Amino acid sequence: MRSENQSEMQCVECEGLLAEAIDGGLHGTTLAAFEAHQQSCPACRTMVEEATAGLHWLKGLDEVEPPRHLVHNILAQTIGALPSEHAVVSPRGEGWLDKVKGRLAPIFAPVATPRFAMSFGMAFFSITLLLSIAGLHLSDLRRLDLSSKGIAKTYSSTQARVIRYYDNLRLVYEIESRVRDLRRVAAPEKQQPEEPAPKTQPKSDNQQDKNRTNQNYSRDANQPELAASPAGNEPGMKDLTNQARLNRRIA
Amino acid sequence: MDDIQAVNALVRRCVTGDAAAWQEIVQQYHRRIYNLCYRFSGSPDDAADLTQEVFIKMYRTLSTFDTTRASFMTWVTTVTRNLLVDHFRKGKYDRITDSLEATPGNQDDGLSLAEKLEDHSAGPEARMRSQEAQKLVHQALRKLSPELREAVILRDLQDMDYKDIALVLKVPEGTVKSRINRGRTELARLLQRSYRQVS
Ligand SMILES: [Zn+2]
């Protein structure tokens, strides 16, 4: 009604609507009246500009990560107990997977936070990298949302976290078994399951071969020399001793 | 709303002594409370101490939470805010030492404050600038009066609506909006002023 005459909006009114205007809460005639006042009032225009800038800077502030032991400490100080997941122990593996799981362990700790989810993400990123270098393709990894936001979301509720934990555990086993398969395929004759999976990367293998042949070549090059001296000397020595005997006889 | 019902059910379980339910509440709310305390106090250590205090207080007073009066989120925020006010009155967190004006001069990256504040794109360099901007905005926030600071934190960082903020601060909605305006404007001026000093 008032807005029929837009010029009626006063600076005080405008200021009262400022928060809603910036937050997108103004509509229709009120918004039109507010905008009309902006056109004619530089003071209010500046106010809107400043408040908008302030809002944008505040919105640019990220959520910060609480300290790792915060939840643990809170529970210890209230119910005086550790979170129930604390009892969950990650099973033993072998080889480098142990190391990876060592890095994953913090995620399964009671104070799991997205920061650890991040390092978890990084750990799995390394696994993907390793396996793709090794020529393995894991479609399972695609299913995992490894972005920090996705993981943060996942970790927001205990239930989801527990489910994800088992999911990840299964994935670890899957990777583990695939690596074992890879070893079997790569080295079927050699019965050496304890050795790490051989690299199938062509470049490094060729280089190793070259090194090996180089070593062989150098060995071959040395051997004739070493073999030649006693073999060549022996008859010479015999000749010398024979010659000496002959000389003595002559003398 | 399902969410509200679920939270209220969780609180009821807590009151009957269900430790798992309490654990769930701690998991769900500690980030939010920690961030509120961090942005208000300005210090990560103080924020951690305050967050623990908030939960201890919540644990003791959980039975006083009235589902008919406010949402659990509003109640939790009120408990936190009251504690922050108590501590602020005691002068515990009234020691703003670093000067906003001094900060840009310490940087040797040759970037103007405007450049530091602008970015939101990806890339490590941009992210670094963004971190610098975050620091500056965080420091500017600490220069606001507690009334304006809490208003913009609740609105722009905790995404609460005016009505709930009015409940938490126990002031009329009009006052809430006015404080939000002044808080945003003053923050912009603080950052703008140091920008003019730098450039
Ligand atoms: Zn005006």
Side-chain angles (χ1 to χ4, degrees), chain A residues 185-208:
Chain A
V185 169
E189 260 87 18
K190 297 174 201 164
Q191 294 284 324
Q192 292 172 314
E194 294 305 310
E195 270 188 13
K199 284 180 188 172
T200 53
Q201 200 185 7
K203 257 192 185 173
S204 64
D205 245 27
N206 284 348
Q207 217 158 356
Q208 277 186 339

Side-chain angles (χ1 to χ4, degrees), chain A residues 149-209:
Chain A
K149 271 198 175 163
I151 288 165
K153 241 178 265 164
T154 308
Y155 280 71
S156 63
S157 83
T158 310
Q159 203 179 4
R161 199 178 59 250
V162 169
I163 290 165
R164 183 51 62 99
Y165 166 73
Y166 287 112
D167 241 20
N168 293 335
L169 205 62
R170 209 190 60 219
L171 184 65
V172 169
Y173 284 134
E174 249 177 74
I175 293 168
E176 215 172 355
S177 69
R178 277 174 200 230
V179 168
R180 256 186 247 117
D181 289 348
L182 182 74
R183 285 176 198 161
R184 257 175 254 136
V185 169
E189 260 87 18
K190 297 174 201 164
Q191 294 284 324
Q192 292 172 314
E194 294 305 310
E195 270 188 13
K199 284 180 188 172
T200 53
Q201 200 185 7
K203 257 192 185 173
S204 64
D205 245 27
N206 284 348
Q207 217 158 356
Q208 277 186 339
D209 283 346

Side-chain angles (χ1 to χ4, degrees), chain A residues 9-12 14-15 37-38 40-45 47:
Chain A
M9 188 175 268
Q10 302 297 304
C11 289
V12 182
C14 183
E15 207 178 327
H37 181 81
Q38 300 305 303
S40 59
C41 180
C44 283
R45 207 160 51 230
M47 198 170 64

Side-chain angles (χ1 to χ4, degrees), chain A residues 15-23 47 49-67 69-71 73-75 77-79 82-85 110-115 152 155-159 161, chain B residues 19-20 22-24 26-28 30-32 34-35 38-39 44 47-49 51-53 55-56 59 117-118 120 130 133-135 137-138 141 152-153 155-157 159 162 177-178 180-185 187-189 191-192:
Chain A
E15 207 178 327
L17 292 172
L18 180 59
E20 277 166 285
I22 290 173
D23 289 338
M47 198 170 64
E49 280 166 12
E50 285 178 336
T52 307
L55 168 67
H56 282 147
W57 281 329
L58 283 160
K59 285 291 179 190
L61 282 178
D62 290 336
E63 199 176 58
V64 293
E65 207 53 56
H69 295 296
L70 187 59
V71 170
N73 291 349
I74 291 165
L75 293 174
Q77 284 181 50
T78 49
I79 53 177
L82 301 178
S84 52
E85 303 105 292
V111 286
T113 63
R115 195 198 310 172
Y155 280 71
S156 63
S157 83
T158 310
Q159 203 179 4
R161 199 178 59 250
Chain B
W22 172 247
Q23 196 181 316
E24 180 72 34
V26 175
Q27 287 285 0
Q28 270 188 39
H30 80 282
R31 284 179 70 84
R32 190 181 168 88
Y34 177 81
N35 272 271
Y38 173 64
R39 293 304 180 189
D49 292 346
T51 307
Q52 285 184 50
E53 272 191 65
F55 275 103
I56 291 166
Y59 190 69
L117 291 171
E118 77 189 10
H120 283 293
S130 172
Q134 298 240 347
K135 206 169 120 192
V137 177
H138 180 70
L141 190 57
V152 292
I153 290 174
R155 173 69 201 140
D156 295 332
L157 301 184
D159 292 316
Y162 308 130
K177 288 178 195 170
S178 160
I180 292 167
N181 288 338
R182 280 157 56 209
R184 287 171 177 171
T185 310
L187 189 84
R189 285 178 191 160
L191 290 162
Q192 187 67 23

